[in-house]
Amino acid sequence: MEINILLVDDESIDLEWLRRRVVSNKAMQQQNVRTAVSGFEALELMEQHPVDLILSDIRMPIMTGMAFARKAKEINPQVHIVFISGHQDFSYAKEAIQLNASGYLLKPVEDRELHDMLDQMCSKIEEERKQRSSLSETLSLVHQELLLRWFKEPTPGQVEDHLHRFLAPILENGATVAIIEVDDLAWKIHLTTEEERRLLIASISLFIREFVNAKNLGTLITSYDDHFVLLTTIPEEHIKAMLEQLIEAFYKQFAYSITIGTGKYTSEVNKLHDSYRQAQAALSIKWVFGKNRLIQDASEWSPKQAMALNLEKTVDRMLQAMLEYDLTAIDDCLLELFNGDQPLTQKSDIYDLIIRITSKLHADLQQMNEHLYEILKWESHQPFILFQFETVHDILSWLRRRFFELSELLYLKKQRQKRKLIDEITRFVEQRLDQKITLNEVASHFDFTPNYLGQLFKAETNTLFTDFLIDLRMKRVCELLKDPTRKVYEIAELAGYKNIVYFNRQFKLSTGMSPGEYRKQHKI
């Protein structure tokens, strides 16, 4: 079994001497032995290669052996560290014990002592690998299914004996549940083929599984809805750093990000179910905290379910004000929501209120085929900004700016839609100028009432529909009059006039001259 060893010493001569003595051990001749002349170089090697055992000098410049060891444990909590120092540095021994160092050798190190320590550490590492391998093999597909079913039970009963036997060794030193979710996966793969989706999920699963195995994070189970449940047994103090490493590594590898929710650390089987529920709760508030991040223990985050009696009416008024681009009314509604009969003194109340406001706005806009977060181009991390503010005033100012922006965007979009409608009406009328056209007919075609369409037309063009129609007809007549081969009565019919007398009167009212005079003036 191959074991990866890293030797660290800032003295090149001492480092080479140590390397030769290590590889001279028969048990080490088939192992990977790397060297580094500083803690920084050693950490870089650990990022690039697996390391099972570190032998490090305790006294090094800039980054001491102790500082290096702490960072090494963050990269790989399972790594074993043996310190080497002189008698004058033995005061570090106590700190080394606190770091859970696996050994401590005093200079000058005798060959026998070094080789005994290496034999002992290699045996220990091999035994740990066998235990992890055994645990992994024990978790068959049946166990995975049983464990997931137990996790998903709202009120779990007694753990079955064979499941209890499986969990007992995992929980011996403590464990926690982490749930891994690929962000935005559902809508991003909506247009992909089934085969493309299958290959993507397989590559994602393989990457996460290989990372978990390489870092010895624990047991990974593929759950439903493309989630992953990680039962991690690494020391509690290293969980955050390791899971954040996974998030960062995943983001570099794929065009996606992942969010991880975790529960509390426990060594009791029954509380493991609580840890799963806590991880679920943490993941459920991703939209508030943001994606591509680790969310730990959401037990204290519990938004109230009861909605203020006047909230719906106030938000309805605020949405109407947004559609009309009435910034004063929007501000009045916000102040009314935040300064109600019961002042909001707790941050949790403020965040709860914001969630309810934005949720209702989002739901109302969806009824209008609009999308709150798409209009504002809000990434899911945006609401997390709210948690950085220290006063209600700061939060209200930020929210006011966002809602003013939303109002402007909605208003501009509404104006563009109205302009598009006017253009469509214009084209519709132009194509039928030779026919009798009324406001009622046009309104019916576009599914509006004549009264509403008339008001909309006047508001958008500052012209009555009848005047607009006459203007279009007269423009058509002027174009047709340029053709000297056409008779005036023919032109009148092509412009929708059946009565030549009425046509002549209308043309003179519009241009100040008769059709004949118009041709004469323009030398037609």
Side-chain angles (χ1 to χ4, degrees), residues 458-512:
K458 178 67 169 65
E460 293 303 308
T461 65
N462 200 31
T463 305
L464 293 173
F465 180 79
T466 52
D467 293 338
F468 160 77
L469 182 57
I470 291 171
D471 185 57
L472 276 184
R473 290 189 191 281
M474 290 302 105
K475 286 179 180 177
R476 172 69 64 87
V477 168
C478 290
E479 285 295 320
L480 293 171
L481 284 171
K482 291 178 182 179
D483 183 357
T485 64
R486 290 185 182 276
K487 307 294 184 183
V488 171
Y489 71 86
E490 293 176 340
I491 292 172
E493 288 185 358
L494 289 172
Y497 291 97
K498 307 303 179 185
N499 187 317
I500 191 66
V501 176
Y502 179 71
F503 164 71
N504 283 324
R505 186 184 303 121
Q506 190 72 62
F507 188 83
K508 192 162 188 175
L509 283 173
S510 298
T511 64

Side-chain angles (χ1 to χ4, degrees), residues 272-382:
L272 193 64
H273 187 277
D274 295 336
S275 183
Y276 176 84
R277 289 295 178 190
Q278 290 153 4
Q280 274 190 322
L283 204 56
S284 70
I285 57 173
K286 177 176 74 172
W287 78 273
V288 176
F289 282 86
K291 59 187 175 185
N292 194 29
R293 60 181 294 113
L294 174 67
I295 306 174
Q296 293 181 294
D297 186 16
S299 58
E300 295 182 2
W301 193 91
S302 53
K304 300 176 178 62
Q305 297 301 316
M307 181 177 284
L309 294 177
N310 64 340
L311 184 139
E312 288 198 31
K313 293 181 180 179
T314 306
V315 174
D316 286 340
R317 282 193 289 110
M318 185 164 64
L319 178 58
Q320 187 59 39
M322 287 177 180
L323 295 173
E324 296 171 0
Y325 201 24
D326 188 344
L327 304 185
T328 301
I330 295 171
D331 191 41
D332 290 342
C333 290
L334 275 173
L335 291 173
E336 183 179 325
L337 288 166
F338 276 78
N339 302 320
D341 297 333
Q342 297 179 338
L344 303 172
T345 57
Q346 300 295 322
K347 281 189 176 182
S348 59
D349 294 335
I350 297 290
Y351 302 145
D352 178 33
L353 176 62
I354 292 168
I355 290 164
R356 288 186 281 142
I357 292 172
T358 54
S359 295
K360 175 160 175 49
L361 271 178
H362 181 50
D364 290 346
L365 285 169
Q366 281 187 317
Q367 295 298 316
M368 302 163 57
N369 293 320
E370 300 287 2
H371 193 290
L372 173 66
Y373 306 112
E374 287 181 2
I375 294 173
L376 284 176
K377 294 183 172 60
W378 265 8
E379 295 291 341
S380 60
H381 73 270
Q382 283 275 12

